[in-house]
Amino acid sequence: LEKLRSITGVFKKNPSQRDSIFWEKSEISISIGTLNEISGPNGSGKTESILQFISKNQDQIGKVAWIEDYFTVYPISFIHQEICLDQIFFIEAEKTFFWTANQILRSQLFGMTVLTFQNSTLQKTKPVIELRRLQISAEQSQSYVFLITEKPLESDMKWPIHTQIYSNPRTRKLEVIKKGKVVKNPEI
């Protein structure tokens, strides 16, 4: 594994690197080693927002693992955002989604992992256990982790999502969710 990490140019947090990145033009802070969720209906701009985040922070993020239960992302979108496809590792995980996500995080080969899944994928498992495992793996990998969902995950679950973001389809703006409600002036 060490040899693979040296060959692939593994993500290593250097001492001068910040522990969090602010989302451009907002006060939303994304921290290393935490789960962050962006939700919204199809066409609301979730993927576009993540791609802009990657594009603006490529030097700090490095390689990205993009894991989906069923492959829906269009690689041309990455090129439009000036993201080099050599930096992205696409995975269609289907039934092994959470196992795959945990293995990718444990490998520590990526500076960012994006997990795109239908809410029904989570309902087929024990959500609290799966999300807690992801959170522990995120802490250990010290990378940026995003969950992309259509509906916000339950806020009363006992797992630490650092930041929940809603992509508002009407305004095309990102809004922070706290305790199940959108916060107008987020203090993160």
Side-chain angles (χ1 to χ4, degrees):
L1 192 57
E2 287 303 318
K3 188 169 185 171
L4 180 61
R5 288 181 180 144
S6 67
I7 292 169
T8 60
V10 65
F11 169 77
K12 289 194 180 194
K13 184 180 170 205
N14 64 44
S16 64
Q17 186 177 19
R18 296 174 293 180
D19 287 335
S20 63
I21 298 176
F22 280 93
W23 208 291
E24 187 159 311
K25 299 179 184 176
S26 76
E27 296 187 23
I28 300 172
S29 172
I30 306 302
S31 296
I32 286 178
T34 61
L35 294 181
N36 302 281
E37 177 192 16
I38 183 165
S39 61
N42 285 334
S44 65
K46 301 180 300 279
T47 302
E48 181 183 349
S49 296
I50 294 287
L51 293 179
Q52 288 173 357
F53 181 83
I54 294 168
S55 178
K56 301 287 185 214
N57 299 291
Q58 282 185 68
D59 293 340
Q60 187 167 346
I61 292 171
K63 296 187 184 300
V64 176
W66 193 284
I67 307 169
E68 297 194 2
D69 50 1
Y70 298 98
F71 198 68
T72 58
V73 72
Y74 298 105
I76 195 73
S77 305
F78 290 78
I79 295 168
H80 285 281
Q81 292 290 337
E82 299 180 5
I83 299 170
C84 178
L85 290 179
D86 292 344
Q87 299 294 327
I88 312 296
F89 184 55
F90 296 101
I91 303 167
E92 182 179 36
E94 295 183 10
K95 294 178 182 176
T96 62
F97 181 83
F98 290 103
W99 180 86
T100 302
N102 276 299
Q103 296 308 308
I104 288 292
L105 287 167
R106 288 180 184 150
S107 75
Q108 298 180 349
L109 292 171
F110 302 93
M112 181 172 172
T113 302
V114 178
L115 308 168
T116 302
F117 60 94
Q118 305 298 319
N119 288 60
S120 61
T121 299
L122 188 60
Q123 293 168 352
K124 293 175 189 173
T125 65
K126 295 181 180 176
V128 174
I129 294 170
E130 294 298 347
L131 291 168
R132 180 66 178 142
R133 285 180 183 153
L134 284 176
Q135 193 268 330
I136 290 168
S137 295
E139 284 178 12
Q140 291 171 346
S141 72
Q142 285 298 290
S143 63
Y144 298 97
V145 180
F146 279 95
L147 308 173
I148 301 178
T149 61
E150 286 185 25
K151 295 179 182 175
L153 298 173
E154 298 293 324
S155 61
D156 63 344
M157 294 179 80
K158 294 180 179 172
W159 42 262
I161 293 283
H162 180 266
T163 306
Q164 281 188 297
I165 304 166
Y166 179 71
S167 182
N168 189 321
R170 284 177 278 166
T171 63
R172 301 287 288 180
K173 290 185 178 180
L174 299 177
E175 303 168 335
V176 174
I177 300 172
K178 287 203 176 188
K179 297 183 181 175
K181 296 183 181 176
V182 173
V183 178
K184 297 285 183 194
N185 298 312
E187 291 179 20
I188 299 179

